[in-house]
Amino acid sequence: EDKKEAREAIGESGAQAVSDLARAFEEKPSMAKRIHNSTFFHAFIYTVIAANAVQIGVELDFKPVEGSFEAKIFLGLEMAASGIFLLEALFCLYVLRKSYFRDLFNCLDLVIV
């Protein structure tokens, strides 16, 4: 009954557009899914991980004075990497939904982030 009233209110073409839109959201190989599965996305994340590891090592060897310009640079780099890791985790949660938690490495990644 409600569907019939909605169809009458927006017309057949409007109802078809809403139906098509709902189907598009339910089906995935969306843009997000294609990005998530791309080699570039994974290469970018691995590059950030490697750069962050090098940055942490350099910071430990360099031991900048707290509050110095160098310490602020290291803090900024660390915060940028953490932000990227957080966005990556949220993006993967969005794309994979419940299946995200089926992979133990994803769970470990989420706990670390």
Side-chain angles (χ1 to χ4, degrees):
E1 176 95 8
D2 290 338
K3 287 183 181 181
K4 186 177 180 182
E5 290 174 12
R7 283 185 185 273
E8 289 172 1
I10 61 174
E12 279 300 315
S13 62
Q16 184 62 42
V18 169
S19 177
D20 291 344
L21 186 61
R23 197 173 316 110
F25 276 109
E26 290 171 2
E27 297 171 358
K28 284 209 182 123
S30 64
M31 176 69 93
K33 186 79 168 177
R34 286 196 305 268
I35 290 170
H36 178 266
N37 292 334
S38 72
T39 303
F40 175 79
F41 177 74
H42 292 284
F44 174 74
I45 295 300
Y46 296 147
T47 302
V48 173
I49 291 169
N52 185 242
V54 169
Q55 179 260 320
I56 290 170
V58 170
E59 184 179 6
L60 287 173
D61 283 346
F62 188 66
K63 296 180 180 140
V65 176
E66 192 172 323
S68 68
F69 176 75
E70 293 84 4
K72 290 177 184 177
I73 294 292
F74 285 126
L75 179 63
L77 291 171
E78 192 172 328
M79 290 178 74
S82 295
I84 291 169
F85 296 146
L86 177 64
L87 290 174
E88 183 253 349
L90 293 173
F91 180 70
C92 289
L93 274 168
Y94 170 74
V95 171
L96 300 175
R97 316 269 162 124
K98 291 179 185 176
S99 67
Y100 179 87
F101 297 103
R102 291 187 192 130
D103 185 351
L104 291 178
F105 284 111
N106 286 340
C107 296
L108 176 66
D109 185 43
L110 190 61
V111 168
I112 290 172
V113 168

